[in-house]
Amino acid sequence: MARQDRSNGDRALQALKTAAGLPRESLVLERAFCFTDARVSARTGHWADAREAYLRLVTLEPEEPWVHWDLAAVHRLLDDPTQAALAYLTAADKHFARGETDQVFQAYQQAAAVSPDDPQVKAKLQDSTPKAGPAPSTAQTKPAAAAPLPPVAAPSVPSSPSTTPTDQAASRAKPAAQPASPNGESPAEGATIAPARSGRGRLGGGNEPLGQILRQLEIIDDRQLAEALEIQARTGERIGRVLRDLSLVNDADLARGLAHQWGYTYMSLTDLRIDPEVAKLIPQALAIRHKCVAVERRGGRLVVAIADPLNVIAVDDIRLITGMEVDLAVATEDDIGAALARSYQMTDNLIERVMRESVPDYGVESSDDDPSVEQLKALVEEAPVVKLVNLIVDEAVKQGASDIHIEPQRNGVWVRYRLDGVLRDIMNPPKHLKAALASRMKIMAEMDIGERRKPQDGRVHLVTDGRNVDLRVSTLPTMFGEKVVMRILDQSQTTIGLGRLGFHSDMLRLWEKAVDKPHGMVLVTGPTGSGKTTTLYATLSKLNTLDKNIVTIEEPVEYQIPRINQVQVNPKAGLTFATGLRSILRQDPDIVMVGEIRDKETAEISVQAALTGHLVFSTLHTNDAATTVIRLIDMGVEPFLISSSVIAVLAQRLARAICSRCKVAYNPPGEALGRLGADTRMESDVMFYRGQGCDHCRGTGYRGRIGIFELLVVTDAVRDMIVRRASSNEIKAQAVREGMRTLRDDGLEKVISGVSTIDEILRVVYVQD
């Protein structure tokens, strides 16, 4: 049947050739159909199909460099850096045969960048004489043909003191004319240096130093340029940074100069209204990584504002993901960040209205020129400031953020949310609201707005979106104003059950067995933000029955649990963990939870409580379970007391879970398994998963988080090792022999089962070589 379909297809193709007046041996239509298949597959995100189509196109257009560039980009998106690098190297051979030396260097740079450690790529780069062809006559071709290229293959360019590294890199990357694609478009657009992609750049641009361009634009004068060049000659810093440090230019001036240098348009995004649907043509994660934003759609072309117009990878990725050709404009990073915040996060029209409303500008430029307390009191009562703060908090709660960061900078203020454990820029309010935002939040938390030299802490209880929320507010004086962090504690959320934390079934049984003991100490360890308190709350909720007296001492109490007596540390009143714990032990408790063991006194009281018939839960900051024992010994607790009291130690991390709505399968390369410490000889057909990015996950590919655990049960053999002060490595090795699943093992299991990704596990779990 397949043979018959292929025969019918061949006959139809020959009929089309006849109708078009093409000879039978012509491959024009085959190339056109193949190119269309490749572009459609890439546009719809079917990268495996796109790769197959480009591989077919390689057989039809073997000498066309742009085919190999596009194929390399697809390999990158399929996480196959070795094949991507080899495709770049093949493109280099084709460019060399055409005498296009600059493109040869670009291709070698890309190969070295995407897979610098691969043995095949190393061998090729060490013996990198391109295939024979017509040698170009320029002097820059000699290094490529006469000697092996280094890993970053580009000849040096003589530089004057005013030549920046960007100037030097740019002068090596001048685009050349490219062949036409089967459909008549310019296939090299998006496949080489940015000016060739957009069709807007000036061929041969970038040779003139940035300092001279800024002088021509009358942004600086001769005297200022001479002063900056003198400083640059001494320090070696970029001319742009020198001029900015001297307050002679700002970011917008530098962006204008860079745009002029490369023949692009400078675009100010401050007052530009960008359609969010246009911006979202580029996935949020990609836009953040490349510092770019889509601002306008013109037919089959996309206008993209970018901070670095020489970012060759950015335009490749955008063109392949959107299926559109890219026209570049230059904008500042701050403008792009603010535009991304408006487009991807704050879609509510209220924010635009708030930003447009008139707010008094007291001209606060530095901490030495702060507004008075009276001015601040008037400012924070302004309706726009109140609305903006309410909007920031409401949106954070809706998006499930754990923290809000208000960060003052030299040129403004940034608002960031911590979503699924990762900070993300949300908005960039007007500069003159810097002091007003911090003061409004301090008033909400009943802090002293007149005190701006010392850190302060406060708490706010509010109802938003029908949910009871507590905000823990902390301020910190910085060079450019007060930084405010608000921890969001959603009291309407019920405690998560143990079964939903991410425990493997075998580990969950061991954990439940350990916490069902009548007395002893159970410890949970991990860095800040690893979910220790959540695990303890879930455990206490399971143990919370009418026949038990459960008392906790915490700093602070994050969530209220019915029928559990919770005490909050108050150092000013003399209530510390140690003093509070002594009092709790006189309250006839069955179960005690100590928020954190920080010192010898608290550790010794906790151990004594465990030895006298109480079940004690607490937390420590250590990297893994075995290290916890050594940490207690370092605090001064005797090893025999530790071995007698500690029942189990749970080490944990929080990893982002793959978004269920955009989850796709892929076959991982062997080196990916090796990075996680897994056996690279695993079956080649093993499938991993990742998120492509969608509106549900804000373009990140992740939604929610899952626990990664390591449970060390203190057995007789482990007790003996603790008593004789064995090292943490010895204790860990013994626990592994007894069946302990390490953090790495549990993380790998989460990857194989499709819960998280290799990159995410490597981000949160340290893997030893």
Side-chain angles (χ1 to χ4, degrees), residues 596-604 619-621 628-638:
E596 183 182 348
I597 295 178
R598 297 177 179 174
D599 51 46
K600 178 181 178 181
E601 186 180 12
T602 306
E604 288 180 336
T619 70
L620 276 171
H621 290 283
T628 305
V629 175
I630 308 303
R631 176 80 177 110
L632 289 173
I633 294 175
D634 290 342
M635 282 184 174
V637 182
E638 291 295 334

Side-chain angles (χ1 to χ4, degrees), residues 120-358:
Q120 298 181 71
V121 178
K122 276 187 174 180
K124 183 84 173 177
L125 288 171
Q126 292 300 320
D127 184 22
S128 55
T129 302
K131 303 291 184 292
S137 59
T138 62
Q140 285 187 347
T141 61
K142 293 179 182 178
L149 288 168
V152 179
S156 61
V157 176
S159 62
S160 68
S162 64
T163 305
T164 68
T166 302
D167 296 333
Q168 296 177 21
S171 65
R172 296 194 291 262
K174 289 171 279 192
Q178 301 296 325
S181 70
N183 64 356
E185 298 179 60
S186 174
E189 290 179 3
T192 58
I193 199 66
R197 283 191 185 88
S198 66
R200 305 289 187 192
R202 188 176 64 238
L203 292 180
N207 284 321
E208 195 168 6
L210 181 60
Q212 294 292 342
I213 290 175
L214 293 173
R215 185 187 60 78
Q216 292 173 13
L217 295 175
E218 298 182 351
I219 295 173
I220 59 176
D221 56 32
D222 290 337
R223 181 187 59 79
Q224 293 169 333
L225 177 58
E227 179 186 0
L229 290 176
E230 181 183 350
I231 295 174
Q232 187 197 39
R234 294 198 312 267
T235 64
E237 290 185 338
R238 297 186 179 189
I239 191 69
R241 177 178 291 275
V242 173
L243 289 167
R244 187 165 49 191
D245 290 344
L246 292 172
S247 299
L248 299 176
V249 300
N250 55 32
D251 290 340
D253 293 331
L254 291 176
R256 285 175 56 200
L258 185 62
H260 186 84
Q261 186 179 32
W262 289 99
Y264 287 106
T265 300
Y266 166 71
M267 185 175 288
S268 174
L269 306 181
T270 305
D271 300 319
L272 183 65
R273 295 178 61 83
I274 300 174
D275 184 350
E277 296 306 315
V278 172
K280 290 177 182 177
L281 290 172
I282 304 175
Q284 183 185 10
L286 188 70
I288 292 173
R289 182 166 72 248
H290 292 311
K291 296 183 177 65
C292 64
V293 61
V295 297
E296 185 181 354
R297 184 173 186 169
R298 297 172 180 169
R301 307 188 72 88
L302 190 65
V303 179
V304 176
I306 192 167
D308 179 9
L310 302 182
N311 186 344
V312 92
I313 295 178
V315 186
D316 279 343
D317 290 348
I318 294 169
R319 189 170 65 87
L320 280 167
I321 285 176
T322 63
M324 304 171 71
E325 301 303 334
V326 178
D327 291 331
L328 292 182
V330 180
T332 66
E333 286 190 23
D334 283 349
D335 273 5
I336 291 171
L340 290 176
R342 293 193 299 268
S343 301
Y344 290 98
Q345 300 289 351
M346 297 292 202
T347 56
D348 195 329
N349 290 332
L350 175 59
I351 189 168
E352 295 183 9
R353 190 168 72 251
V354 168
M355 297 299 224
R356 289 197 303 268
E357 289 186 13
S358 173

